[in-house]
Amino acid sequence: RSDVLLLDEPTNHLDLDAVIWLQDWLCKYDGTLLLISHDRDFLDSVVGHILNIENRHATLYSGNYSAFERIRAERLAHQQSQFEKQQREVAHIRSFIDRFRAKASKARQAQSRIKALERMQFIAPAHVDSPFHFSLLEPEKLPRPLLRIDYAAVGYGSTTVLSNVRLSLAPGDRIGLLGRNGAGKSTLIKLLAGTIELQSGELVRANDLETGYFAQHQVEQLHPKRTPLDHLYELAPRARELELRNYLGGFGFSGDTVLMPTGPFSGGEKSRLALALLVYHRPNLLLLDEPTNHLDLEMRQALATALQDFSGAMVIVSHDRHLLRVTTDLLLLVHDGQVSEFEGSLDDYPAWLAAQNRLSGNSLRSPAPEPIANDRKDRKRREAAQRQRLRPLNRRIEKAEAAIATLQTRKKELENRLAVPELYEAGRKDELRSLLDEQADVNWQLAKEEANWLAAHEELERAG
């Protein structure tokens, strides 16, 4: 019954079910919440303000994380535009000073401009750049299929966790695993990785299969006294040091960091190094079991971008819904000892989970029965009514988006015209004043439409 709740990375090591439960609980929490998290979907659902700490300054933004990203990007773009405009003005003033400071007739004007430069408050260039830039090396071979499982049973000892598993993996397959805690997601990953054997059935691997398997024990197997460069040299003893340094630099290890022992590294640094070692093998099948634990938002985004371009197959278990959403094409549900395709989208999973909790009293018993025909018709009627009810809000959002696009185009045109140095000559004061007035009006209208867009989205979320 706290008044203030302080949470520092509460979703690390939670599975997706627990993240969804915590998210729902926090949405109902009456006190003040101060939260640090690298899970953008979690932040979007829970928070109403973002405090961004950057370059030793803290800036408070209204809205969730997605709204913060958009507003910050616009501010950075405006800052860069203003910086470039000021640099042109400074170059023009300095050119005048250099040309006329030695002429007696222009000396006073030159001195005036020197003082103007001294009084000018310089705008810093906008700089936002992730320290992580890497891509997954192209696999040497891509056999088809990479792996095939037929009517398999798998478990531990005499206990069977999954049965009748049928699965075929080919290059380009991008699969996310869903399922409640203990349903067998990690067991399936271990079977694919070859760390546990079948109890029955058939598993066929391609001769050229090269598997990259990431799980928490890979992080724990890093040698604490060896450096990142030492670990990579073990994989490529004949490689040039510069090549290995450049590779590690993409994962945020640069300078003296590559020569530091890994023992004192943070959890995020160890996870980054384990991922770097994993993908250096050039696998054609990636198996990732909670790869984002301890990774910050920038590294998660870099990983998501790299996975999008991966030409092999991959299977992912993750509580990071953003990673699943942007990297997977097929969701498989591990439930009640079976593996089957999840028919809904990732956004439908919380509702499925809630239904299972109601039916089974939080236990893993029988799956929900298939709805009968009448239930399907009723559901479709309800969905149609819901779409009709939400149509005015969707139209309002579309109208605001169209207005924002038009205003942003006009804003850019005005900034380009205001960046012309000749506009600031004495004879063009009226034109300059008119453009500045229009710029202020456009900025006001843009802020109004953005607020309208955000309010409509919030109403849409509350409505359904």
Side-chain angles (χ1 to χ4, degrees), residues 18-43:
V19 171
I20 291 170
W21 177 88
L22 179 62
Q23 174 183 300
D24 291 343
W25 190 90
L26 289 175
C27 287
K28 301 169 186 173
Y29 176 66
D30 290 332
T32 298
L33 171 66
L34 187 62
L35 167 70
I36 297 171
S37 177
H38 294 140
D39 186 331
R40 64 177 63 210
D41 275 42
F42 184 71
L43 287 171

mmCIF file of all heavy atoms in Angstrom, residues 18-43:
data_model
loop_
_atom_site.group_PDB
_atom_site.id
_atom_site.type_symbol
_atom_site.label_atom_id
_atom_site.label_comp_id
_atom_site.label_asym_id
_atom_site.label_seq_id
_atom_site.Cartn_x
_atom_site.Cartn_y
_atom_site.Cartn_z
ATOM 1 N N ALA A 18 4.148 -12.930 -17.049
ATOM 2 C CA ALA A 18 4.361 -12.120 -15.848
ATOM 3 C C ALA A 18 4.451 -10.640 -16.194
ATOM 4 O O ALA A 18 3.988 -9.783 -15.427
ATOM 5 C CB ALA A 18 5.637 -12.571 -15.135
ATOM 6 N N VAL A 19 5.042 -10.319 -17.348
ATOM 7 C CA VAL A 19 5.114 -8.925 -17.787
ATOM 8 C C VAL A 19 3.709 -8.370 -17.997
ATOM 9 O O VAL A 19 3.397 -7.244 -17.570
ATOM 10 C CB VAL A 19 5.940 -8.802 -19.084
ATOM 11 C CG1 VAL A 19 5.831 -7.392 -19.669
ATOM 12 C CG2 VAL A 19 7.406 -9.117 -18.818
ATOM 13 N N ILE A 20 2.840 -9.154 -18.637
ATOM 14 C CA ILE A 20 1.461 -8.712 -18.879
ATOM 15 C C ILE A 20 0.724 -8.532 -17.553
ATOM 16 O O ILE A 20 -0.018 -7.560 -17.359
ATOM 17 C CB ILE A 20 0.745 -9.722 -19.788
ATOM 18 C CG1 ILE A 20 1.350 -9.674 -21.203
ATOM 19 C CG2 ILE A 20 -0.756 -9.439 -19.845
ATOM 20 C CD1 ILE A 20 0.874 -10.789 -22.113
ATOM 21 N N TRP A 21 0.921 -9.469 -16.620
ATOM 22 C CA TRP A 21 0.279 -9.334 -15.302
ATOM 23 C C TRP A 21 0.750 -8.064 -14.597
ATOM 24 O O TRP A 21 -0.044 -7.279 -14.069
ATOM 25 C CB TRP A 21 0.613 -10.544 -14.431
ATOM 26 C CG TRP A 21 0.033 -10.417 -13.042
ATOM 27 C CD1 TRP A 21 -1.196 -10.811 -12.630
ATOM 28 C CD2 TRP A 21 0.673 -9.798 -11.908
ATOM 29 N NE1 TRP A 21 -1.373 -10.488 -11.306
ATOM 30 C CE2 TRP A 21 -0.246 -9.865 -10.829
ATOM 31 C CE3 TRP A 21 1.907 -9.200 -11.699
ATOM 32 C CZ2 TRP A 21 0.039 -9.354 -9.573
ATOM 33 C CZ3 TRP A 21 2.208 -8.676 -10.427
ATOM 34 C CH2 TRP A 21 1.282 -8.763 -9.392
ATOM 35 N N LEU A 22 2.085 -7.834 -14.587
ATOM 36 C CA LEU A 22 2.632 -6.650 -13.923
ATOM 37 C C LEU A 22 2.135 -5.374 -14.590
ATOM 38 O O LEU A 22 1.800 -4.394 -13.909
ATOM 39 C CB LEU A 22 4.163 -6.712 -13.955
ATOM 40 C CG LEU A 22 4.900 -5.517 -13.324
ATOM 41 C CD1 LEU A 22 4.566 -5.394 -11.841
ATOM 42 C CD2 LEU A 22 6.411 -5.661 -13.521
ATOM 43 N N GLN A 23 2.075 -5.390 -15.907
ATOM 44 C CA GLN A 23 1.582 -4.227 -16.656
ATOM 45 C C GLN A 23 0.161 -3.881 -16.233
ATOM 46 O O GLN A 23 -0.153 -2.715 -15.950
ATOM 47 C CB GLN A 23 1.646 -4.546 -18.146
ATOM 48 C CG GLN A 23 1.041 -3.513 -19.059
ATOM 49 C CD GLN A 23 1.108 -3.965 -20.499
ATOM 50 O OE1 GLN A 23 2.189 -4.205 -21.034
ATOM 51 N NE2 GLN A 23 -0.044 -4.090 -21.144
ATOM 52 N N ASP A 24 -0.723 -4.888 -16.176
ATOM 53 C CA ASP A 24 -2.116 -4.648 -15.779
ATOM 54 C C ASP A 24 -2.192 -4.141 -14.337
ATOM 55 O O ASP A 24 -2.989 -3.246 -14.028
ATOM 56 C CB ASP A 24 -2.930 -5.933 -15.924
ATOM 57 C CG ASP A 24 -3.120 -6.333 -17.378
ATOM 58 O OD1 ASP A 24 -2.920 -5.474 -18.255
ATOM 59 O OD2 ASP A 24 -3.456 -7.508 -17.636
ATOM 60 N N TRP A 25 -1.362 -4.704 -13.476
ATOM 61 C CA TRP A 25 -1.381 -4.295 -12.069
ATOM 62 C C TRP A 25 -0.942 -2.837 -11.923
ATOM 63 O O TRP A 25 -1.552 -2.055 -11.197
ATOM 64 C CB TRP A 25 -0.472 -5.215 -11.253
ATOM 65 C CG TRP A 25 -0.600 -5.027 -9.767
ATOM 66 C CD1 TRP A 25 -1.453 -5.664 -8.920
ATOM 67 C CD2 TRP A 25 0.157 -4.111 -8.958
ATOM 68 N NE1 TRP A 25 -1.273 -5.216 -7.630
ATOM 69 C CE2 TRP A 25 -0.292 -4.252 -7.623
ATOM 70 C CE3 TRP A 25 1.164 -3.201 -9.219
ATOM 71 C CZ2 TRP A 25 0.235 -3.515 -6.573
ATOM 72 C CZ3 TRP A 25 1.694 -2.453 -8.184
ATOM 73 C CH2 TRP A 25 1.228 -2.617 -6.865
ATOM 74 N N LEU A 26 0.118 -2.477 -12.640
ATOM 75 C CA LEU A 26 0.636 -1.105 -12.532
ATOM 76 C C LEU A 26 -0.338 -0.082 -13.116
ATOM 77 O O LEU A 26 -0.396 1.058 -12.642
ATOM 78 C CB LEU A 26 1.991 -0.996 -13.228
ATOM 79 C CG LEU A 26 3.158 -1.694 -12.523
ATOM 80 C CD1 LEU A 26 4.421 -1.621 -13.369
ATOM 81 C CD2 LEU A 26 3.413 -1.080 -11.147
ATOM 82 N N CYS A 27 -1.090 -0.479 -14.137
ATOM 83 C CA CYS A 27 -2.076 0.440 -14.712
ATOM 84 C C CYS A 27 -3.160 0.799 -13.691
ATOM 85 O O CYS A 27 -3.772 1.868 -13.774
ATOM 86 C CB CYS A 27 -2.714 -0.177 -15.963
ATOM 87 S SG CYS A 27 -1.616 -0.204 -17.403
ATOM 88 N N LYS A 28 -3.399 -0.090 -12.716
ATOM 89 C CA LYS A 28 -4.408 0.154 -11.686
ATOM 90 C C LYS A 28 -3.816 0.742 -10.407
ATOM 91 O O LYS A 28 -4.555 1.061 -9.478
ATOM 92 C CB LYS A 28 -5.126 -1.160 -11.347
ATOM 93 C CG LYS A 28 -5.820 -1.792 -12.550
ATOM 94 C CD LYS A 28 -6.286 -3.208 -12.229
ATOM 95 C CE LYS A 28 -6.842 -3.896 -13.457
ATOM 96 N NZ LYS A 28 -7.143 -5.326 -13.216
ATOM 97 N N TYR A 29 -2.481 0.879 -10.359
ATOM 98 C CA TYR A 29 -1.813 1.365 -9.147
ATOM 99 C C TYR A 29 -2.174 2.832 -8.903
ATOM 100 O O TYR A 29 -2.073 3.667 -9.820
ATOM 101 C CB TYR A 29 -0.305 1.187 -9.308
ATOM 102 C CG TYR A 29 0.519 1.737 -8.161
ATOM 103 C CD1 TYR A 29 0.439 1.181 -6.894
ATOM 104 C CD2 TYR A 29 1.391 2.805 -8.363
ATOM 105 C CE1 TYR A 29 1.197 1.664 -5.855
ATOM 106 C CE2 TYR A 29 2.159 3.302 -7.317
ATOM 107 C CZ TYR A 29 2.060 2.731 -6.061
ATOM 108 O OH TYR A 29 2.823 3.220 -5.028
ATOM 109 N N ASP A 30 -2.584 3.160 -7.669
ATOM 110 C CA ASP A 30 -3.078 4.507 -7.365
ATOM 111 C C ASP A 30 -1.968 5.502 -7.027
ATOM 112 O O ASP A 30 -2.177 6.710 -7.081
ATOM 113 C CB ASP A 30 -4.060 4.456 -6.191
ATOM 114 C CG ASP A 30 -5.368 3.784 -6.580
ATOM 115 O OD1 ASP A 30 -5.718 3.861 -7.770
ATOM 116 O OD2 ASP A 30 -6.014 3.187 -5.697
ATOM 117 N N GLY A 31 -0.786 5.000 -6.648
ATOM 118 C CA GLY A 31 0.268 5.909 -6.198
ATOM 119 C C GLY A 31 1.079 6.469 -7.357
ATOM 120 O O GLY A 31 0.718 6.374 -8.534
ATOM 121 N N THR A 32 2.200 7.090 -6.988
ATOM 122 C CA THR A 32 3.140 7.643 -7.977
ATOM 123 C C THR A 32 4.153 6.572 -8.344
ATOM 124 O O THR A 32 4.741 5.942 -7.469
ATOM 125 C CB THR A 32 3.858 8.871 -7.400
ATOM 126 O OG1 THR A 32 2.875 9.874 -7.113
ATOM 127 C CG2 THR A 32 4.874 9.422 -8.385
ATOM 128 N N LEU A 33 4.359 6.384 -9.629
ATOM 129 C CA LEU A 33 5.274 5.356 -10.122
ATOM 130 C C LEU A 33 6.457 6.008 -10.825
ATOM 131 O O LEU A 33 6.273 6.857 -11.699
ATOM 132 C CB LEU A 33 4.540 4.423 -11.106
ATOM 133 C CG LEU A 33 5.405 3.423 -11.878
ATOM 134 C CD1 LEU A 33 6.013 2.397 -10.939
ATOM 135 C CD2 LEU A 33 4.581 2.742 -12.968
ATOM 136 N N LEU A 34 7.656 5.635 -10.420
ATOM 137 C CA LEU A 34 8.880 6.034 -11.131
ATOM 138 C C LEU A 34 9.546 4.754 -11.608
ATOM 139 O O LEU A 34 9.918 3.902 -10.806
ATOM 140 C CB LEU A 34 9.826 6.822 -10.217
ATOM 141 C CG LEU A 34 11.057 7.428 -10.904
ATOM 142 C CD1 LEU A 34 10.647 8.423 -11.965
ATOM 143 C CD2 LEU A 34 11.949 8.113 -9.872
ATOM 144 N N LEU A 35 9.676 4.611 -12.929
ATOM 145 C CA LEU A 35 10.018 3.335 -13.542
ATOM 146 C C LEU A 35 11.185 3.490 -14.503
ATOM 147 O O LEU A 35 11.221 4.427 -15.296
ATOM 148 C CB LEU A 35 8.785 2.819 -14.298
ATOM 149 C CG LEU A 35 8.949 1.660 -15.277
ATOM 150 C CD1 LEU A 35 9.228 0.376 -14.523
ATOM 151 C CD2 LEU A 35 7.689 1.526 -16.120
ATOM 152 N N ILE A 36 12.138 2.583 -14.409
ATOM 153 C CA ILE A 36 13.185 2.449 -15.425
ATOM 154 C C ILE A 36 12.920 1.127 -16.142
ATOM 155 O O ILE A 36 12.802 0.087 -15.502
ATOM 156 C CB ILE A 36 14.599 2.423 -14.808
ATOM 157 C CG1 ILE A 36 14.893 3.736 -14.096
ATOM 158 C CG2 ILE A 36 15.652 2.179 -15.890
ATOM 159 C CD1 ILE A 36 16.184 3.687 -13.278
ATOM 160 N N SER A 37 12.813 1.177 -17.462
ATOM 161 C CA SER A 37 12.575 -0.052 -18.216
ATOM 162 C C SER A 37 13.096 0.109 -19.630
ATOM 163 O O SER A 37 13.105 1.215 -20.178
ATOM 164 C CB SER A 37 11.075 -0.385 -18.253
ATOM 165 O OG SER A 37 10.839 -1.545 -19.033
ATOM 166 N N HIS A 38 13.530 -1.010 -20.218
ATOM 167 C CA HIS A 38 13.962 -1.023 -21.609
ATOM 168 C C HIS A 38 12.949 -1.739 -22.497
ATOM 169 O O HIS A 38 13.263 -2.077 -23.631
ATOM 170 C CB HIS A 38 15.339 -1.707 -21.715
ATOM 171 C CG HIS A 38 16.419 -0.947 -21.041
ATOM 172 N ND1 HIS A 38 17.418 -1.554 -20.317
ATOM 173 C CD2 HIS A 38 16.650 0.377 -20.957
ATOM 174 C CE1 HIS A 38 18.225 -0.629 -19.821
ATOM 175 N NE2 HIS A 38 17.771 0.537 -20.197
ATOM 176 N N ASP A 39 11.754 -1.955 -21.990
ATOM 177 C CA ASP A 39 10.684 -2.616 -22.729
ATOM 178 C C ASP A 39 9.705 -1.537 -23.201
ATOM 179 O O ASP A 39 8.899 -1.031 -22.425
ATOM 180 C CB ASP A 39 9.979 -3.629 -21.824
ATOM 181 C CG ASP A 39 8.943 -4.462 -22.556
ATOM 182 O OD1 ASP A 39 8.369 -3.956 -23.546
ATOM 183 O OD2 ASP A 39 8.702 -5.610 -22.135
ATOM 184 N N ARG A 40 9.758 -1.182 -24.487
ATOM 185 C CA ARG A 40 8.975 -0.040 -24.960
ATOM 186 C C ARG A 40 7.475 -0.315 -24.937
ATOM 187 O O ARG A 40 6.684 0.602 -24.662
ATOM 188 C CB ARG A 40 9.438 0.394 -26.349
ATOM 189 C CG ARG A 40 9.229 -0.613 -27.450
ATOM 190 C CD ARG A 40 9.669 -0.036 -28.780
ATOM 191 N NE ARG A 40 11.089 0.251 -28.781
ATOM 192 C CZ ARG A 40 11.655 1.221 -29.481
ATOM 193 N NH1 ARG A 40 10.930 2.006 -30.216
ATOM 194 N NH2 ARG A 40 12.951 1.406 -29.448
ATOM 195 N N ASP A 41 7.031 -1.551 -25.207
ATOM 196 C CA ASP A 41 5.599 -1.848 -25.119
ATOM 197 C C ASP A 41 5.101 -1.718 -23.685
ATOM 198 O O ASP A 41 3.996 -1.225 -23.439
ATOM 199 C CB ASP A 41 5.334 -3.272 -25.633
ATOM 200 C CG ASP A 41 5.170 -3.318 -27.140
ATOM 201 O OD1 ASP A 41 5.958 -2.624 -27.820
ATOM 202 O OD2 ASP A 41 4.290 -4.029 -27.634
ATOM 203 N N PHE A 42 5.911 -2.164 -22.750
ATOM 204 C CA PHE A 42 5.587 -2.055 -21.328
ATOM 205 C C PHE A 42 5.469 -0.584 -20.933
ATOM 206 O O PHE A 42 4.508 -0.168 -20.280
ATOM 207 C CB PHE A 42 6.673 -2.760 -20.522
ATOM 208 C CG PHE A 42 6.440 -2.812 -19.043
ATOM 209 C CD1 PHE A 42 5.465 -3.622 -18.511
ATOM 210 C CD2 PHE A 42 7.222 -2.066 -18.177
ATOM 211 C CE1 PHE A 42 5.253 -3.690 -17.136
ATOM 212 C CE2 PHE A 42 7.036 -2.122 -16.803
ATOM 213 C CZ PHE A 42 6.038 -2.939 -16.283
ATOM 214 N N LEU A 43 6.442 0.231 -21.360
ATOM 215 C CA LEU A 43 6.404 1.668 -21.060
ATOM 216 C C LEU A 43 5.176 2.322 -21.686
ATOM 217 O O LEU A 43 4.512 3.138 -21.047
ATOM 218 C CB LEU A 43 7.672 2.342 -21.587
ATOM 219 C CG LEU A 43 8.971 2.075 -20.820
ATOM 220 C CD1 LEU A 43 10.160 2.631 -21.588
ATOM 221 C CD2 LEU A 43 8.914 2.698 -19.434
#
